[in-house]
Amino acid sequence: MLSKRQEQLLKIIVEDYIKTARPVSSKSICDIMNCSSATIRSEMSSLEDLGLLEKTHISSGRIPSEKGYRYYVDHIMVPKELTGEEILRLQQIVSNKSLVVNDAIARSMEIITELTSYTAVVLGKQSSNNLIQKIEVIPVDDNNLVAIIVTDKGHVEHKNVYIEGIVSMNDIKQTVDLINKLIVGTSLDDISDVLEFEVKPRIADYVEQHEVLYNAFYNAFNEFTNNHSVFRSGTKNILMQPEFNDADKIRDIISKFEDKEIVESIEEKDNGINIYIGSENNFDDDVTIIKTKYTINGEEGTIALIGPKRMEYDRVITLLNYIKENIGK
Amino acid sequence: MLSKRQEQLLKIIVEDYIKTARPVSSKSICDIMNCSSATIRSEMSSLEDLGLLEKTHISSGRIPSEKGYRYYVDHIMVPKELTGEEILRLQQIVSNKSLVVNDAIARSMEIITELTSYTAVVLGKQSSNNLIQKIEVIPVDDNNLVAIIVTDKGHVEHKNVYIEGIVSMNDIKQTVDLINKLIVGTSLDDISDVLEFEVKPRIADYVEQHEVLYNAFYNAFNEFTNNHSVFRSGTKNILMQPEFNDADKIRDIISKFEDKEIVESIEEKDNGINIYIGSENNFDDDVTIIKTKYTINGEEGTIALIGPKRMEYDRVITLLNYIKENIGK
DNA sequence: TTTAGCAGTTTACACTTTTAACTGCTAAAA
DNA sequence: TTTTAGCAGTTAAAAGTGTAAACTGCTAAA
């Protein structure tokens, strides 16, 4: 258990380091704590023994360790209220009901990346367990049509379908009707099976170009299941942070952003606002990721804010909370 | 006019520098040109006087100047044939007819960024002069529907539309029918006008919640017109190049990639394959951009490959040409 | 328990030195 | 006239040196 003074010291060091990105010296704290630098040094020493502080080299000032940030976030930090300007900017988005839903969350995150110096990643719902509600087909020309799929969670996607050769509109309609009858309520995961073992044998009887149609739809639906939407905003922000003042480190981060698998692993399991400091996340030991789920019109997704470990936790949490609470209206 | 030997020398220097990114010394060329380093030095000197070569410092080897690359591209370079492996990889995409059109070009560029060490940007056609062919609406629930727009070029987009309050399905249907009747054949540019001056007054007569419906559709359509698709692949590639071995330079490039205006200014005017070396492009003096237009199913777009000035011009040109020629089937 | 003071570290920066890699020039050779 | 050998001169890059500034840890006294 930390003493009152130790907590105060940890708070000062974490917040100073968050602001300046420079190790905090004992002398610089004298005024605030009303004691000599030697006293502070001995307290620093015990905080270091507890694993809450670190030195960059033997005679340097102290910086918070991962455990130090964790203690700060769990026990010391008080969420910061939003400023009038911040509320104003966010309200413009949130209150704009005419905004198309997918864009609303994207725009919100753009605002947040402007208000902070961090990078936002928005992951659309991993839709494999969505159930299909409806399928519609719109003909474009003789060889192309558009298939629209609507899931029970209100998620919508469209795909262009190319049909080889000449297929009658009637055959298409019959196939679509059958698909609709058989496939509604199926999860996106199971679509392939239903198409292959139920739709295919049935249309074979009365649809002339059944082979062609089956292939076309099979390919189109396969892409629905594999499609995760990823939106990123303010990529450059995190690179501007002084801890990433190194070409190789920047390359490393950019590569990770570009790697679909790594970005998708950001997906969030729990509700609430979750903080993953350094090695607590599986993205990069030098960053903190704050994630939360959002629900908007029944569609779920994850938003994540990625910044250096010395993140302005108190402010970011409030910002994300605002989005989470207000975006669903 | 360059002598035969001068052209040979320029070719050797450009190609060596493209491969190694290091200034080329006179000694290293002796074997290839069958003469002493002194002779080569004097030829280098005259090429430098012509502005085709540069030195990085007074006693360094030579590197090509922008003018040197330009001369190489215009007069010396011979497009390189694709290797069997390259053709194979590209054919898999090009011949896959079931691929949705937009994905085909995106996937092609992904292959190209894998085959090269450069970054690809694909800009979808600025669709403002597309004509609307059809609009369909699919209800999702009481307050949400999906509007699908199909243009004469076969371009398809969908938008989720939020309807405030309770609007009868019948009213929606009537409005959509009217929109369809009035708006088909209109260009995306003129949609707003038609909605405001033709649709609005008419539905006012017989649609109860006409104000709400008008607003919902107005907003949704407005976003169709303003939507330029931008696809980027292999962002990290160009950053791996040794000329960008500097944190600030990398940040600069990433910032430019993130700036919509700058990226959209990459849009191409002429047909053919165009090469913009260094200051010839308005993106960044340290890069070369090779652009070309593509047409796929009547939809136009621009693809651009961005790399260091010491690009493998001979190979990249062939690759892009292959995409350009074959993607349209 | 707190403090003053001092010894000991480390970084950061500015120099210097050294080495390797080039070029330009000149005078002789082809 | 063209080519070449040889050498002086230049520079970058790496390695080493020196110094000042900024800290800490420790000790002994308050």
Side-chain angles (χ1 to χ4, degrees):
Chain A
M1 201 55 210
L2 294 193
S3 72
K4 204 79 197 162
R5 195 169 70 177
Q6 284 175 319
E7 283 209 349
Q8 187 197 4
L9 180 58
L10 182 57
K11 180 172 193 284
I12 290 168
I13 291 174
V14 171
E15 291 178 357
D16 190 45
Y17 187 64
I18 284 175
K19 211 186 286 174
T20 65
R22 295 157 161 279
V24 184
S25 75
S26 54
K27 201 177 152 200
S28 70
I29 303 181
C30 289
D31 288 351
I32 313 172
M33 304 248 314
N34 272 316
C35 58
S36 77
S37 60
T39 311
I40 292 169
R41 277 201 291 283
S42 86
E43 288 284 35
M44 279 175 159
S45 217
S46 40
L47 286 177
E48 188 174 355
D49 291 342
L50 291 167
L52 298 169
L53 294 181
E54 282 173 1
K55 287 188 280 194
T56 60
H57 60 82
I58 196 162
S59 72
S60 79
R62 299 303 207 291
I63 64 173
S65 68
E66 249 173 62
K67 202 173 155 193
Y69 285 119
R70 173 51 62 198
Y71 191 96
Y72 172 78
V73 166
D74 289 344
H75 302 111
I76 301 178
M77 176 203 72
V78 178
K80 201 174 178 179
E81 282 189 28
L82 298 181
T83 67
E85 203 214 334
E86 288 168 343
I87 293 178
L88 209 69
R89 302 268 331 251
L90 289 169
Q91 271 183 342
Q92 283 171 359
I93 303 301
V94 167
S95 66
N96 185 351
K97 299 209 171 160
S98 64
L99 256 188
V100 167
V101 286
N102 281 338
D103 295 346
I105 193 82
R107 287 290 306 283
S108 305
M109 295 319 289
E110 271 174 14
I111 301 292
I112 289 206
T113 56
E114 272 176 47
L115 292 174
T116 67
S117 319
Y118 314 130
T119 301
V121 174
V122 180
L123 293 165
K125 169 75 186 167
Q126 195 155 351
S127 38
S128 55
N129 55 352
N130 277 15
L131 301 181
I132 292 166
Q133 191 187 78
K134 184 189 290 187
I135 286 160
E136 297 247 350
V137 168
I138 302 177
V140 174
D141 61 34
D142 284 352
N143 291 317
N144 288 283
L145 34 93
V146 180
I148 293 125
I149 192 168
V150 184
T151 74
D152 61 334
K153 298 271 169 69
H155 181 80
V156 179
E157 268 182 61
H158 76 257
K159 286 277 172 217
N160 296 34
V161 180
Y162 176 80
I163 308 263
E164 220 169 342
I166 298 159
V167 177
S168 79
M169 200 53 228
N170 192 43
D171 279 359
I172 293 174
K173 196 175 164 346
Q174 282 196 306
T175 308
V176 171
D177 283 348
L178 183 69
I179 291 177
N180 253 321
K181 204 153 57 181
L182 291 174
I183 229 163
V184 166
T186 314
S187 81
L188 286 173
D189 266 347
D190 301 332
I191 259 191
S192 300
D193 285 349
V194 177
L195 271 177
E196 188 170 353
F197 299 117
E198 306 207 37
V199 175
K200 194 181 181 185
R202 295 210 203 179
I203 60 172
D205 297 339
Y206 56 92
V207 174
E208 205 140 342
Q209 300 285 339
H210 62 269
E211 197 69 54
V212 174
L213 277 176
Y214 168 75
N215 282 334
F217 281 110
Y218 185 87
N219 286 317
F221 283 119
N222 242 349
E223 302 210 16
F224 282 122
T225 51
N226 299 326
N227 192 357
H228 304 212
S229 81
V230 177
F231 168 81
R232 207 165 67 239
S233 166
T235 308
K236 67 178 174 191
N237 289 10
I238 193 176
L239 308 178
M240 300 296 175
Q241 299 291 342
E243 31 268 275
F244 303 104
N245 215 335
D246 172 76
D248 283 328
K249 187 68 203 171
I250 294 182
R251 289 177 178 140
D252 184 35
I253 297 278
I254 294 285
S255 297
K256 283 175 176 165
F257 275 134
E258 239 181 89
D259 186 322
K260 268 203 161 185
E261 263 185 54
I262 294 180
V263 169
E264 278 169 8
S265 74
I266 288 175
E267 185 97 23
E268 177 59 346
K269 296 282 170 284
D270 315 14
N271 277 322
I273 292 194
N274 295 282
I275 302 177
Y276 302 91
I277 301 164
S279 61
E280 295 172 4
N281 70 67
N282 46 14
F283 185 82
D284 189 290
D285 283 357
D286 292 331
V287 309
T288 280
I289 304 187
I290 305 196
K291 312 176 193 173
T292 190
K293 280 188 174 178
Y294 67 87
T295 308
I296 178 168
N297 279 14
E299 250 196 292
E300 281 188 357
T302 301
I303 54 188
L305 209 57
I306 303 175
K309 282 188 285 191
R310 38 169 218 91
M311 223 190 220
E312 292 179 89
Y313 294 97
D314 50 1
R315 197 162 145 253
V316 165
I317 285 173
T318 314
L319 278 168
L320 277 187
N321 220 21
Y322 186 91
I323 297 289
K324 185 186 172 72
E325 298 295 319
N326 292 279
I327 200 76
K329 240 149 301 167
Chain B
M1 204 54 211
L2 296 192
S3 72
K4 205 79 198 162
R5 195 170 68 177
Q6 284 175 320
E7 284 209 348
Q8 186 198 4
L9 181 56
L10 182 58
K11 180 172 193 285
I12 290 168
I13 291 174
V14 170
E15 292 178 356
D16 190 45
Y17 187 65
I18 285 176
K19 210 185 288 175
T20 65
R22 292 157 164 279
V24 183
S25 74
S26 55
K27 200 177 154 199
S28 70
I29 305 181
C30 290
D31 288 351
I32 313 172
M33 304 246 316
N34 272 317
C35 60
S36 79
S37 61
T39 310
I40 290 168
R41 278 201 291 282
S42 88
E43 286 285 34
M44 279 175 159
S45 218
S46 40
L47 286 177
E48 187 174 354
D49 291 342
L50 291 168
L52 299 170
L53 293 180
E54 281 174 357
K55 287 189 280 194
T56 60
H57 60 82
I58 197 162
S59 71
S60 79
R62 299 302 206 293
I63 64 174
S65 68
E66 248 172 63
K67 203 174 155 192
Y69 286 118
R70 172 53 60 197
Y71 191 96
Y72 172 78
V73 167
D74 289 344
H75 302 111
I76 300 178
M77 178 203 70
V78 178
K80 200 174 179 181
E81 280 188 31
L82 298 182
T83 68
E85 204 214 333
E86 287 167 344
I87 293 178
L88 210 68
R89 303 263 337 245
L90 289 168
Q91 270 183 344
Q92 281 170 359
I93 302 300
V94 167
S95 65
N96 184 351
K97 298 210 174 162
S98 66
L99 256 188
V100 167
V101 286
N102 282 337
D103 293 348
I105 193 84
R107 288 287 306 282
S108 306
M109 295 318 289
E110 270 173 15
I111 301 291
I112 290 206
T113 55
E114 270 176 50
L115 292 174
T116 66
S117 319
Y118 313 130
T119 302
V121 174
V122 181
L123 294 165
K125 169 73 186 169
Q126 197 156 350
S127 40
S128 55
N129 55 353
N130 278 16
L131 300 181
I132 291 167
Q133 189 187 81
K134 184 190 292 188
I135 286 160
E136 295 249 350
V137 168
I138 301 177
V140 174
D141 61 33
D142 285 351
N143 290 315
N144 288 284
L145 35 92
V146 180
I148 295 125
I149 192 169
V150 184
T151 74
D152 61 335
K153 299 271 170 66
H155 182 80
V156 180
E157 269 182 59
H158 76 257
K159 287 277 173 215
N160 297 35
V161 179
Y162 175 80
I163 307 264
E164 216 169 344
I166 298 157
V167 178
S168 79
M169 201 52 228
N170 193 42
D171 279 0
I172 294 174
K173 196 176 168 340
Q174 281 197 306
T175 308
V176 171
D177 283 348
L178 183 69
I179 291 177
N180 253 321
K181 203 152 59 180
L182 291 174
I183 228 163
V184 167
T186 314
S187 81
L188 285 172
D189 265 347
D190 301 332
I191 256 191
S192 300
D193 285 349
V194 176
L195 271 177
E196 187 171 354
F197 299 117
E198 306 205 36
V199 175
K200 194 181 182 186
R202 293 210 205 180
I203 60 171
D205 296 341
Y206 55 92
V207 174
E208 206 142 339
Q209 300 285 340
H210 61 270
E211 197 68 55
V212 173
L213 277 176
Y214 168 74
N215 282 334
F217 281 110
Y218 184 87
N219 287 315
F221 282 120
N222 241 349
E223 304 211 15
F224 283 122
T225 51
N226 299 326
N227 193 358
H228 304 212
S229 80
V230 176
F231 168 82
R232 206 165 68 240
S233 165
T235 307
K236 68 178 174 191
N237 288 11
I238 192 176
L239 308 179
M240 301 295 176
Q241 300 291 341
E243 31 268 274
F244 302 104
N245 214 335
D246 172 75
D248 282 328
K249 187 68 202 170
I250 294 182
R251 289 176 178 139
D252 184 35
I253 298 278
I254 294 285
S255 297
K256 282 175 176 164
F257 275 134
E258 239 181 89
D259 186 322
K260 267 205 162 184
E261 263 184 55
I262 294 179
V263 169
E264 278 171 8
S265 74
I266 288 176
E267 185 99 22
E268 176 61 344
K269 298 283 170 280
D270 315 14
N271 278 323
I273 292 194
N274 295 282
I275 301 179
Y276 302 90
I277 300 164
S279 61
E280 294 172 6
N281 70 68
N282 46 15
F283 185 81
D284 189 291
D285 284 357
D286 292 332
V287 309
T288 281
I289 303 187
I290 304 196
K291 310 177 196 174
T292 190
K293 279 189 175 178
Y294 67 86
T295 307
I296 177 167
N297 277 13
E299 256 194 285
E300 282 190 354
T302 301
I303 54 188
L305 209 58
I306 303 175
K309 283 188 285 190
R310 40 170 215 92
M311 223 188 220
E312 292 179 272
Y313 293 97
D314 50 1
R315 194 159 148 255
V316 164
I317 286 172
T318 313
L319 279 169
L320 277 187
N321 220 20
Y322 186 91
I323 297 290
K324 185 185 172 73
E325 298 295 318
N326 292 280
I327 199 77
K329 240 147 299 167

